[in-house]
Amino acid sequence: MDDISPQLLIDCSVISNTDPAELRSVYETAVEQLNLQMIDYLTIRDLVALSGTRETELHLLLIAMFMSLYEGSVCLRLSPESLKKKLEQVAGDRTARAIRSILDGMGAFAGLIYEKDPAGPALFDDPRESYKPLILVTDGTNRYLYFQKYYAAEQSLKRALTGILSRKTRLPENPEILAAAAGAILSIKPVLVNGSPALLNAGQRLGILLPALNNFILVSGGPGTGKTFIVINLLRMMVRMGIPAERMRITAPTGRAAQKLAEAVRRGIASLEAPGEEDISLASIQGETLHRLLKFSPSRNDFMHNAYNRVPADLIIIDEASMIDILLLSRLLDAVENGAGVVMLGDRNQLPSVEAGAVLSDLISENRTACYSTGAASVIKRIFPDMDEAMLPAAPGGDGGPLEDRVVILADSYRSEKSITAIASRINEQDGSVAGDIPELDLRRGFPECGVWLIDPASAGTTFLQGLHGVLDAWAGRYYEAAASSLPSYREIVSDAAAALPSGAEGNAPLHALFMRLDEARILSPVRSGPAGTSGINRHLIGRIGMSLDPAGTGGIFGGAPIIITRNDYDRSLFNGDVGVIMKGGDGRYSGVFSRFDGFASYPVEGLPPFEPSFAITVHKSQGSEYGGVLLVLPEGMTDFLLTKEILYTGLTRAKRLVIICAGRDDLRRAIQNRLERESGIRF
């Protein structure tokens, strides 16, 4: 379907319009530039047929609806600005006239709105009757158009959230119980980091304590702000409050994120000098995808857990919540047992879900701050006397709304080099001047050890692609062909790991060194396709590196090739986003090796679920990961939909020490000034 040509789309279609040639041109543009799919066109055709009209403006409106979905919006805002931004890409000179027709009380479509002609073949409905294909919602002076499916999901989510948030803060009659549990995990038996007790800041302590006071908590913080430490200590806190480990669940949109968090919990428990029975019980908690938590049934194309068959859990912790779409979250909250606690952790500034919706940023918008009621603040200060009013601000006017006592904002990052954090913060604030402040890197002087740098591939009079290949060759020379820093060469590390492969057990130092090296550097791109997308970059690097590492290898299967899993395989505990490495055994056979908390797992390459090379991965796939150095490639000619400050922010914050942005400075500036805007009706 993705490969279908615009001409084939048009040739096999029957377009009912008084001016088919003009309409064919519109659809051809939509296919070429907006990735309109055959199924989208067939849906539009059926809706137009249902409406009984032949107005070109209806076609344009429905194309704009699909554009909104591709951009991640739940609905289409019917405003001149919104429609102009979309229709000018496909309608050309017709844009202004089409917008006037669409906005004129929807008058171009006489008989379509049931309020105007109840007896007609109505295509639109208002919220009072939500069974028709499109729902028209008026909110003050604004109007929004929904596909019925997404309107129903949004309403379901709003009802579930309203119900959860209507339950007041559960202030304990005896705060000393909370104080004893908090003291046990933070002072008496603290988690150790590098042999020293982990000290938690005010925001992290709130993240541990608030779930004991409320059944729904939102925690937002950038990379390295301590969300994982919150989870480890929150579980230790709640098990001491009487919730058994078997009634706690760790979940995330991707299997990799869920597994990574569960492994972090086990590492935290393993660090304890004298873990109690409660702590030991937590090591049994397994991470699982949201689909697995809800027990998705392929045969039914539905979830087993729902409002009538709730998830058997008293506490559900959801990691990487920014990646959850509106449809999935609505189904999850429907399936939560009454009284169960839900804790959502993520970064409101990161890329939102691939599918429609941006629920975390809807709930914790940029201008939302955490605020606390008098009762909650009193309990918190009894447990943590050093937390003053500045750490526990009250809502202006005394009314914090339904999210009072439920939001934690983490600000202090302990992961990335300071210059990375500072520039990422400025990008997030859309400070356009930062584009001119990032220094340009001269590759003739080699790679620096840290900081944020810019390389314009086309600055030396070459094409962007020629310049990019030069940068990739230098990157390969640094990290995969020669020694990087004081480390041995990648070839030596792969050779040592291959020799140690038969053991594959816990404590295999050569394999550990290999995976450490793979996390030393990663190339990121916003897109998969094209010569500057991940597929093109991987092809170039395979051609550059593959033969030198393993002359007998073919394609992306050679000794030392990094790979990424693209589909969950629960039988092998391999999940979409898991990164491994192809290893060549002494018998000449290839296997995929993956790091685990307690060692390494190896599978014959022919038995692996679908995978791709991972010298380069998409920015979306990188969420939740961290690397020593990141090469962030912004292909030339990207649309505003893809070239955004969220892409930049997410890519930069994957790095601990070094970021190299491979882009023209004008494109960098455009990305900073452009932001993802997703329309929805989620407001609390």
Side-chain angles (χ1 to χ4, degrees):
M1 215 57 87
D2 292 347
D3 298 326
I4 191 166
S5 70
Q7 194 57 51
L8 179 59
L9 173 65
I10 302 306
D11 288 345
C12 69
S13 310
V14 179
I15 299 176
S16 180
N17 188 268
T18 57
D19 190 1
E22 183 179 43
L23 197 53
R24 280 198 300 270
S25 175
V26 169
Y27 276 104
E28 183 171 330
T29 302
V31 172
E32 289 180 333
Q33 299 186 14
L34 308 174
N35 200 33
L36 189 77
Q37 304 295 300
M38 172 66 83
I39 188 66
D40 303 331
Y41 169 72
L42 294 176
T43 302
I44 293 173
R45 185 191 66 180
D46 290 345
L47 290 173
V48 171
L50 178 65
S51 74
T53 186
R54 295 187 174 187
E55 294 288 345
T56 301
E57 282 75 19
L58 179 57
H59 288 266
L60 293 176
L61 178 64
L62 293 172
I63 288 175
M65 288 284 291
F66 278 102
M67 291 175 65
S68 289
L69 283 181
Y70 286 149
E71 293 170 358
S73 292
V74 180
C75 54
L76 171 65
R77 184 178 182 181
L78 296 175
S79 69
E81 297 80 13
S82 178
L83 287 174
K84 181 177 185 296
K85 185 176 181 179
K86 292 175 173 57
L87 295 184
E88 66 186 2
Q89 300 181 58
V90 293
D93 295 338
R94 291 183 56 89
T95 298
R97 179 158 52 95
I99 290 174
R100 285 196 301 270
S101 295
I102 292 170
L103 294 178
D104 186 20
M106 309 290 282
F109 317 123
L112 301 185
I113 304 176
Y114 93 123
E115 289 180 301
K116 293 189 177 184
D117 186 4
L123 183 62
F124 300 89
D125 227 337
D126 77 2
R128 292 173 296 181
E129 303 284 346
S130 59
Y131 59 88
K132 293 182 179 160
L134 299 173
I135 308 298
L136 182 63
V137 176
T138 300
D139 183 3
T141 60
N142 297 317
R143 289 188 297 175
Y144 302 89
L145 194 61
Y146 290 77
F147 284 116
Q148 196 271 346
K149 170 183 177 181
Y150 291 97
Y151 179 77
E154 186 175 274
Q155 294 304 300
S156 174
L157 179 58
K158 289 170 71 172
R159 285 193 298 270
L161 281 171
T162 299
I164 291 173
L165 297 177
S166 65
R167 302 164 193 156
K168 301 297 184 181
T169 302
R170 302 178 298 197
L171 297 177
E173 297 181 2
N174 187 0
E176 281 68 30
I177 297 175
L178 287 177
I185 65 172
L186 299 180
S187 302
I188 301 173
K189 295 182 178 180
V191 172
L192 303 181
V193 179
N194 297 324
S196 300
L199 301 177
L200 277 66
N201 59 32
Q204 292 168 333
R205 284 182 284 168
L206 286 172
I208 296 167
L209 192 58
L210 287 181
L213 307 180
N214 264 310
N215 61 335
F216 185 78
I217 300 296
L218 298 164
V219 180
S220 176
T225 52
K227 297 187 295 293
T228 298
F229 274 118
I230 287 178
V231 172
I232 296 169
N233 287 291
L234 170 61
L235 293 173
R236 299 183 68 209
M237 179 89 169
M238 299 307 282
V239 77
R240 285 167 169 79
M241 297 296 297
I243 300 178
E246 59 268 21
R247 296 284 296 181
M248 301 182 188
R249 311 295 282 271
I250 292 175
T251 185
T254 67
R256 181 173 181 272
Q259 183 189 45
K260 185 177 178 181
L261 183 56
E263 289 181 349
V265 171
R266 289 195 286 273
R267 282 193 297 271
I269 300 302
S271 77
L272 299 173
E273 290 184 342
E277 292 184 5
E278 306 100 325
D279 300 311
I280 295 172
S281 70
L282 298 174
S284 63
I285 301 177
Q286 301 295 313
E288 56 193 332
T289 64
L290 286 162
H291 280 75
R292 194 171 196 185
L293 174 73
L294 295 172
K295 294 190 181 301
F296 180 75
S297 171
S299 62
R300 298 172 53 188
N301 194 31
D302 201 357
F303 297 107
M304 301 293 290
H305 287 304
N306 49 44
Y308 308 100
N309 179 28
R310 310 289 180 115
V311 176
D314 295 323
L315 177 66
I316 299 174
I317 297 175
I318 309 169
D319 198 20
E320 300 294 346
S322 64
M323 300 168 64
I324 304 175
D325 63 86
I326 189 171
L327 294 171
L328 187 54
L329 185 60
S330 68
R331 300 300 299 273
L332 172 66
L333 295 187
D334 277 345
V336 173
E337 287 190 350
N338 291 331
V342 176
V343 181
M344 296 177 61
L345 304 102
D347 184 354
R348 61 179 174 179
N349 299 313
Q350 258 186 218
L351 285 166
S353 63
V354 175
E355 303 297 332
V359 182
L360 186 65
S361 58
D362 283 340
L363 293 173
I364 316 179
S365 59
E366 287 185 331
N367 57 1
R368 180 178 293 278
T369 58
C371 60
Y372 304 94
S373 66
T374 301
S378 176
V379 172
I380 294 167
K381 284 190 281 190
R382 289 180 66 180
I383 297 171
F384 300 125
D386 61 321
M387 296 185 66
D388 56 24
E389 284 72 15
M391 301 174 183
L392 301 166
D399 183 10
L403 291 179
E404 186 177 57
D405 302 333
R406 301 177 186 269
V407 174
V408 178
I409 306 295
L410 305 173
D412 298 326
S413 178
Y414 304 97
R415 176 194 296 177
S416 299
E417 201 264 341
K418 289 184 178 180
S419 64
I420 296 175
T421 302
I423 289 178
S425 178
R426 292 175 64 187
I427 288 173
N428 191 50
E429 296 168 358
Q430 293 189 281
D431 179 0
S433 66
V434 73
D437 294 341
I438 298 175
E440 193 153 344
L441 178 63
D442 185 352
L443 278 180
R444 293 173 298 181
R445 300 181 179 180
F447 287 98
E449 292 297 322
C450 61
V452 181
W453 303 81
L454 179 70
I455 296 178
D456 183 354
S459 61
T462 64
T463 66
F464 183 95
L465 186 58
Q466 289 171 332
L468 173 61
H469 286 171
V471 175
L472 295 177
D473 289 343
W475 187 266
R478 163 73 181 267
Y479 290 104
Y480 297 103
E481 294 175 339
S485 187
S486 60
L487 297 175
S489 71
Y490 187 71
R491 179 197 294 273
E492 293 171 334
I493 294 175
V494 170
S495 178
D496 291 343
L501 187 61
S503 66
E506 182 179 1
N508 189 323
L511 281 174
H512 180 71
L514 174 59
F515 277 87
M516 290 284 290
R517 185 59 171 274
L518 288 174
D519 285 339
E520 187 64 23
R522 191 75 68 194
I523 303 172
L524 306 180
S525 175
V527 296
R528 293 183 70 252
S529 60
T534 58
S535 59
I537 294 172
N538 281 317
R539 280 196 302 271
H540 180 82
L541 290 176
I542 289 170
R544 167 86 187 213
I545 299 169
M547 288 293 293
S548 65
L549 286 175
D550 180 12
T554 57
I557 300 177
F558 57 89
I563 60 171
I564 185 169
I565 299 297
T566 59
R567 192 175 70 196
N568 294 336
D569 184 336
Y570 292 102
D571 292 336
R572 294 173 176 81
S573 294
L574 292 174
F575 302 102
N576 184 14
D578 278 354
V579 173
V581 60
I582 299 294
M583 299 299 296
K584 184 179 181 180
D587 57 359
R589 301 185 65 180
Y590 293 94
S591 59
V593 180
F594 299 84
S595 178
R596 296 285 187 261
F597 166 71
D598 54 355
F600 301 91
S602 177
Y603 306 97
V605 72
E606 59 270 15
L608 293 175
F611 63 90
E612 298 173 349
S614 67
F615 290 108
I617 62 175
T618 63
V619 178
H620 278 88
K621 286 282 191 183
S622 74
Q623 294 184 97
S625 299
E626 60 182 66
Y627 312 104
V630 164
L631 174 62
L632 177 60
V633 179
L634 303 181
E636 61 180 353
M638 291 179 64
T639 65
D640 286 348
F641 170 56
L642 293 171
L643 196 64
T644 66
K645 64 109 170 171
E646 288 83 4
I647 283 285
L648 283 177
Y649 172 84
T650 303
L652 260 71
T653 53
R654 300 309 94 201
K656 293 185 287 187
R657 296 185 304 276
L658 174 68
V659 178
I660 298 173
I661 303 173
C662 194
R665 203 174 289 274
D666 288 343
D667 281 343
L668 176 61
R669 188 173 292 106
R670 183 159 65 93
I672 295 170
Q673 295 170 346
N674 188 30
R675 63 182 301 170
L676 284 174
E677 296 182 2
R678 295 192 167 187
E679 297 288 353
S680 82
I682 303 294
R683 298 175 184 86
F684 284 91

